[in-house]
Amino acid sequence: MKFLSAVVIAALTVAASPHEMVAHIEKHLHKSTRLAELKAATLIALKMQSSEEVKKTGRSPMAEVAALTDMMLIQTENEITQLQVAHTKYQGTCKKNKHAWSDVIADKKRVQDNKFKEADGQFSKWNHLLPVLPELDKKIRNADVEVRKEEEKLQAAQAGRNLAHKRYQKAMTDHAKALDDVRAIRLILQNSNLDGRSNKEARVSAGKKTALAEVRSSLLEYKEEAHPITHNLIQLAAEVAAQGSGMDTIYKLIYKTRDALITSRNKLTKEEETAVSSWRTSKIAHQNDINDVRILRQSYYTRSGITRRQIGVHKKYEGSLKIKMAQAVKIKEEHKIMKDFLLVACAEDQRVYSRTFASKLNEKKALLAVQKKLVSLKWSNKVYSAVEQVSAGITYLKGVYNLKSNLGRYVTHQGTTLSCMGTKHAGKFHIALQPDDLSYLIFTEDSKKKKMYVTLDEDKNRVYLRFDPTQYSRWNFKFDKSKQTFQIDNKKAGVNWYVDAADKFEVSTKIQVNDDRSQFKLERTTYSEVGCFKNKINKQLEHYVGAFNNMNTEKCAKACPIEKYPYFGLTEGKQCFCGKTFNKDPAPYSDCSAICPGRGGESCGGSFRTIVFKNEKEKPLVPTTKK
């Protein structure tokens, strides 16, 4: 451990001390399962103590055994304190609830005498509401009639607007035709060369009269297909053409007619735009009126529905009140059974507490004896002060887990890349504690059962898999009680995992964050956590397995096979339940922060709180893609 590298145990005097320490631990093995772990750590430290390579590093493996002892003692003392607090709270609740159930039983006896009186009151209430329904139905019908009238008005106004628009379109067509005719008249006159602007000889030539006649004939022929509004203009142009004089006047008249038609067309367009704008405003007003009536009608519908629902509620309540003394007696007996169940549960808690408390005291005495022995072997007290704060945060993990990001995705791997692919596939990761520095190796297995270790690539700031572990393959798990999640830090580099959503959800160390991207849950492969929930009598998981000092989630899951029970849960730090349903009233995760006595870095619920798990089949691995 890094925090021990600065602590030099100069007072360690003889080589036999570690052996003496092992013998002393063996005397206390029957008092606590933790002593077996401490013995194993001492044996490993004994082997490492004589290692030349370890001596060069300046580390003291036996000093780390002292740290482990100190950590175990701190954890045991915390567990004793939590056990006492939880027991006191639970027994206080037992006493409170016992009086509450007694009051309910007495109250039910009184309630049975008041049933008929209350039923008469409910009858009066719903009977009083009946006349309201015909009035509301009449208002609804009147509102329907008013809606239809307003809709008819809107339809009539729409029809009038459509007719006006058709007239506008016809007028625009007539103006376009008239303008085309005026242009045609002008072209006939210009092409005739009778205006004297292009051919002066035409006025004195022998064929002038013939030319004038042809122009007049052309104009009169065009009159047949021209718009009536231009007939007078054509007739006047034909007469001028026949006389051979007054062409300037007729040209002025043509341009004046054209300008008048354009002005008239523009006026029509402006009037149509004004009419359309006015119609839109009027239409919105009509629609608002209709919507107001519809809203009013809907309010009548709502009031009618509420009234009918109130009548139904009063009738239903009246019916329940008319269940006479038999129901009151039944309810009284049910509460008596609940009270008896509570008394049994409280007595069972007292028995379990007495056994557990005695066991923890023995464990504490054993650890104190071990610690005293360490001091007698001239171990420096600085060891304890150096690790006191650090050791309290160490978490023990062991076994196979699914790693689930707080983003809701499971950590998987394809090849050597780690990423969070989704929710349907999950990688199976083995987590193994390393006794030399209390860090962890995280590894998975390939298709040939060969181990692949999770390792930090410090140059590329990424996390990947390799077949042989390095100094960058060791990790620490930092537990957050409030979130019930872990942050995974590299022992060597001090950087933590995070899920890079911008890069295919790969597990990376490019940046250091402390949010959901860097928080992970450790789930067993055959069950997943549902959440932390409040305990309620008669609404808990129905099958009680028992309470054990070595309880953890894996033991409880084995006692609740998926074929019989879809759910299992742990409460009070040691009790296991199985069932098909449970109370879904949620509680904060911090309420389920009791660490399982069987450790494994897992929660065993809390005081009057159950952490519930769902049994499920193992999630499939991500299929290997063929290249």
Side-chain angles (χ1 to χ4, degrees), residues 479-606:
F479 185 61
D480 187 333
K481 280 190 176 182
S482 63
K483 297 181 180 178
Q484 294 285 300
T485 56
F486 290 91
Q487 180 175 292
I488 305 174
D489 296 348
N490 187 265
K491 180 75 174 180
K492 175 70 174 176
V495 294
N496 62 272
W497 290 15
Y498 90 100
V499 179
D500 191 351
D503 190 9
K504 302 178 181 179
F505 289 93
E506 287 192 4
V507 178
S508 174
T509 59
K510 292 179 183 176
I511 60 175
Q512 296 297 287
V513 295
N514 187 23
D515 54 28
D516 284 345
R517 293 174 294 172
S518 65
Q519 300 295 323
F520 297 84
K521 286 183 179 293
L522 272 64
E523 296 181 355
R524 294 295 185 177
T525 57
T526 56
Y527 52 87
S528 62
E529 181 183 301
V530 179
C532 182
F533 301 92
K534 297 178 181 178
N535 292 1
K536 286 191 177 179
I537 293 178
N538 280 354
K539 291 187 178 181
Q540 290 304 105
L541 294 163
E542 55 267 26
H543 177 62
Y544 177 54
V545 176
F548 306 98
N549 289 335
N550 61 346
M551 178 58 68
N552 59 30
T553 56
E554 190 171 8
K555 288 183 174 62
C556 190
K558 288 180 180 178
C560 303
I562 190 173
E563 295 78 10
K564 290 184 178 180
Y565 306 106
Y567 300 99
F568 69 90
L570 298 105
T571 183
E572 306 298 338
K574 56 188 176 295
Q575 296 178 350
C576 173
F577 288 83
C578 313
K580 297 180 180 179
T581 60
F582 59 92
N583 173 49
K584 293 183 173 60
D585 191 4
Y589 266 111
S590 57
D591 287 3
C592 287
S593 58
I595 300 299
C596 294
R599 290 191 300 281
E602 299 162 331
S603 167
C604 273

Side-chain angles (χ1 to χ4, degrees), residues 11 39 46 66 69 91 143 211 326 412 441 454 472 483 493 525 552 557 600 612:
K39 176 186 174 182
L46 180 59
T69 305
Q91 290 299 320
T412 60
L441 289 178
V454 178
Y472 290 100
K483 297 181 180 178
T525 57
N552 59 30
V612 179

Side-chain angles (χ1 to χ4, degrees), residues 28 45 345 399 477 544 616:
H28 299 279
F477 287 80
Y544 177 54
E616 55 189 25

Side-chain angles (χ1 to χ4, degrees), residues 288 290-302:
N288 287 339
I290 293 172
N291 290 337
D292 290 342
V293 178
R294 284 176 175 167
I295 291 171
L296 184 62
R297 180 182 60 181
Q298 186 61 42
S299 69
Y300 294 148
Y301 272 119
T302 303

Side-chain angles (χ1 to χ4, degrees), residues 213-382:
E214 289 176 356
V215 171
R216 183 175 182 277
S217 175
S218 297
L219 289 170
L220 293 177
E221 287 178 3
Y222 186 76
K223 181 180 179 182
E224 298 297 329
E225 60 185 67
H227 193 278
I229 199 172
T230 61
H231 283 181
N232 291 336
L233 179 63
I234 295 172
Q235 186 66 39
L236 183 60
E239 292 175 0
V240 170
Q243 295 173 3
S245 62
M247 292 302 290
D248 290 337
T249 301
I250 199 62
Y251 271 119
K252 290 180 181 178
L253 186 58
I254 287 172
Y255 291 130
K256 185 176 181 180
T257 302
R258 180 196 64 185
D259 294 341
L261 286 170
I262 291 172
T263 301
S264 175
R265 182 184 63 184
N266 293 340
K267 182 180 179 182
L268 285 172
T269 300
K270 186 173 182 180
E271 289 175 351
E272 176 66 10
E273 290 174 349
T274 302
V276 168
S277 176
S278 177
W279 159 243
R280 286 175 180 169
T281 303
S282 177
K283 183 178 180 181
I284 292 172
H286 277 291
Q287 289 175 337
N288 287 339
D289 291 341
I290 293 172
N291 290 337
D292 290 342
V293 178
R294 284 176 175 167
I295 291 171
L296 184 62
R297 180 182 60 181
Q298 186 61 42
S299 69
Y300 294 148
Y301 272 119
T302 303
R303 286 175 56 191
S304 177
I306 292 173
T307 303
R308 285 183 168 84
R309 186 160 57 250
Q310 288 175 336
I311 291 173
V313 169
H314 290 311
K315 281 187 174 181
K316 183 177 179 181
Y317 190 35
E318 179 193 6
S320 68
L321 291 171
K322 286 184 178 180
I323 300 173
K324 302 178 183 179
M325 188 177 295
Q327 183 184 14
V329 171
K330 180 181 177 182
I331 294 174
K332 181 177 66 177
E333 290 301 320
E334 287 177 350
H335 283 80
K336 189 175 183 303
I337 292 171
M338 293 178 186
K339 178 182 175 182
D340 294 339
F341 172 79
L342 179 66
L343 293 175
V344 171
C346 294
E348 172 66 14
D349 176 78
Q350 180 63 45
R351 287 192 293 272
V352 172
Y353 167 74
S354 299
R355 292 196 303 268
T356 306
F357 186 71
S359 173
K360 288 296 177 185
L361 284 180
N362 286 334
E363 182 178 293
K364 180 180 178 181
K365 289 177 182 178
L367 289 170
L368 285 171
V370 171
Q371 193 179 65
K372 184 177 179 181
K373 187 65 177 178
L374 288 169
V375 174
S376 70
L377 293 174
K378 302 185 185 301
W379 290 67
S380 170
N381 288 330
K382 293 182 179 180

